[in-house]
Amino acid sequence: MVQRYDRLKEIRRLDPERDFLEIYRLTVTYEFPWDVTRALELALYRTYAVPSIGRLLDETAELTERTQKRYDDTALLLDAVVEHGFDTEEGRTAVRRINQMHRSYDISNDDMRYVLCTFVVTPKRWLDAYGWRRLSDHELRAFAAYYRTLGARMGIKDLPQSYEDFEHTLDTYEHEHFGWDEGARRVSDATLALMASWYPAPLAPLVRGASLALLDDSLLRAFRYDRPGPVARGLTRGALRLRARAVRLLPPRRKPHYARQNPEIKGYPDGYEVAALGTFPTPGVRGCPVPGHRRPTEAPAE
């Protein structure tokens, strides 16, 4: 009978530099599947506040005209690597698809590296605030190793090495680059509308308000949203902390939960092939579904 902290004990017996995939998989599919999904949504959303990223996403129209498909494809491509690993046919195909799409756009290496940093830092910060426990040092080291590996396969240069490096890179980049862009605001509005669409229509204003209440002031300023009041913020964040306390008392998950099993994935009721996910854009023409990456220069596909 698995007890609540047994998997953390298992994780601590592994080597975060050698066994990073196993640690990452245990953490995100057994310990925190719901939380990591929310955190990665927020991570990608943060990238819109960098005008060069948000503007490009608006120009592709994938997030404003085909928002659900873009959400599904992004989640499923990233999920394929988590579930199957980097050196399987599915994992290599997912990375190849990501690279093929990104080669169609001249996106800076700095923007690519920043987006990768959000995948490492945002889950840690989310779990610090709303998780039933915090990530261990082993997990943070494994997260950094996992995304270093993904970044290398995407052709990203000058990758951070430790979690602290990822965090410093993210904070510095946001301080220097967050700002207003009209196209980025359209992408933000479309994303908030998508999240509200997952719930009954009468709840849409409440969902949008709760989503805004979770944003920090730097994001609110970049998108020029009014700052939610203390009651809205207190209720939203308090509800998430109550959820964390309840989850801590539940028996641990007995089977892994992958992103493909999330109810928010709605576009493939009859299944999908990894090789067919995403778009197949002509270079210079709209269509990239994953935000914030530069065209890798001869990036390795496998």
Side-chain angles (χ1 to χ4, degrees):
M1 192 70 179
V2 179
Q3 302 299 314
R4 173 41 89 189
Y5 287 92
D6 284 354
R7 285 205 175 87
L8 177 58
K9 295 175 183 176
E10 178 182 356
I11 286 168
R12 284 174 168 160
R13 290 193 291 268
L14 298 171
D15 184 330
E17 298 299 326
R18 183 190 64 221
D19 306 318
F20 61 85
L21 175 60
E22 185 175 358
I23 293 173
Y24 187 78
R25 189 181 289 143
L26 286 170
T27 302
V28 305
T29 69
Y30 281 96
E31 296 287 76
F32 304 106
W34 186 88
D35 290 283
V36 170
T37 295
R38 303 286 83 78
L40 292 179
E41 290 168 355
L42 179 59
L44 290 169
Y45 180 87
R46 294 192 75 83
T47 68
Y48 310 163
V50 175
S52 57
I53 297 174
R55 187 181 308 119
L56 175 62
L57 291 171
D58 179 58
E59 291 170 355
T60 69
E62 289 300 313
L63 268 167
T64 52
E65 297 178 10
R66 293 169 290 277
T67 317
Q68 182 69 60
K69 175 174 169 48
R70 180 269 175 192
Y71 176 91
D72 292 351
D73 290 352
T74 302
L76 294 173
L77 285 169
L78 295 173
D79 189 54
V81 182
V82 177
E83 182 169 5
H84 301 289
F86 290 98
D87 296 317
T88 64
E89 180 179 355
E90 294 89 344
R92 290 194 299 269
T93 300
V95 175
R96 187 183 301 115
R97 280 271 57 233
I98 292 169
N99 287 341
Q100 287 169 345
M101 289 182 285
H102 295 159
R103 289 192 186 103
S104 298
Y105 302 96
D106 186 19
I107 309 171
S108 74
N109 186 78
D110 287 347
D111 278 355
M112 288 181 67
R113 185 176 55 229
Y114 164 65
V115 175
L116 197 75
C117 289
T118 69
F119 295 162
V120 179
V121 177
T122 308
K124 191 265 187 188
R125 291 179 174 176
W126 176 280
L127 292 168
D128 281 352
Y130 309 120
W132 65 266
R133 68 168 175 84
R134 296 189 173 199
L135 292 177
S136 67
D137 180 67
H138 256 54
E139 289 167 308
L140 291 177
R141 291 171 62 192
F143 272 49
Y146 180 89
Y147 283 105
R148 282 200 315 270
T149 303
L150 179 60
R153 303 225 175 180
M154 293 175 63
I156 302 174
K157 308 302 181 185
D158 302 319
L159 291 165
Q161 295 302 301
S162 66
Y163 171 80
E164 291 75 17
D165 292 339
F166 277 97
E167 186 172 51
H168 175 74
T169 302
L170 178 139
D171 288 339
T172 301
Y173 207 67
E174 291 187 348
H175 177 73
E176 294 176 351
H177 291 87
F178 266 15
W180 164 257
D181 182 84
E182 184 177 352
R185 171 62 186 258
R186 284 193 292 269
V187 173
S188 173
D189 288 341
T191 301
L192 293 175
L194 172 68
M195 294 177 178
S197 75
W198 296 333
Y199 301 89
L203 297 179
L206 182 63
V207 173
R208 178 183 170 86
S211 298
L212 291 172
L214 291 173
L215 303 184
D216 58 63
D217 288 346
S218 64
L219 281 172
L220 294 169
R221 286 193 299 269
F223 295 126
R224 298 184 181 175
Y225 290 129
D226 292 335
R227 192 175 190 271
V231 173
R233 280 188 160 179
L235 288 174
T236 301
R237 299 178 184 195
L240 287 170
R241 293 186 182 105
L242 285 175
R243 176 192 173 274
R245 293 177 185 176
V247 171
R248 190 181 299 121
L249 299 175
L250 294 175
R253 184 176 295 278
R254 301 175 71 177
K255 295 181 180 180
H257 181 94
Y258 292 97
R260 59 177 170 76
Q261 298 169 288
N262 290 343
E264 296 85 8
I265 304 292
K266 299 181 180 298
Y268 300 97
D270 300 320
Y272 60 91
E273 294 183 6
V274 174
L277 293 173
T279 59
F280 295 81
T282 301
V285 180
R286 304 181 344 171
C288 180
V290 183
H293 297 290
R294 181 176 189 247
R295 168 178 50 83
T297 303
E298 299 299 323
E302 303 183 14

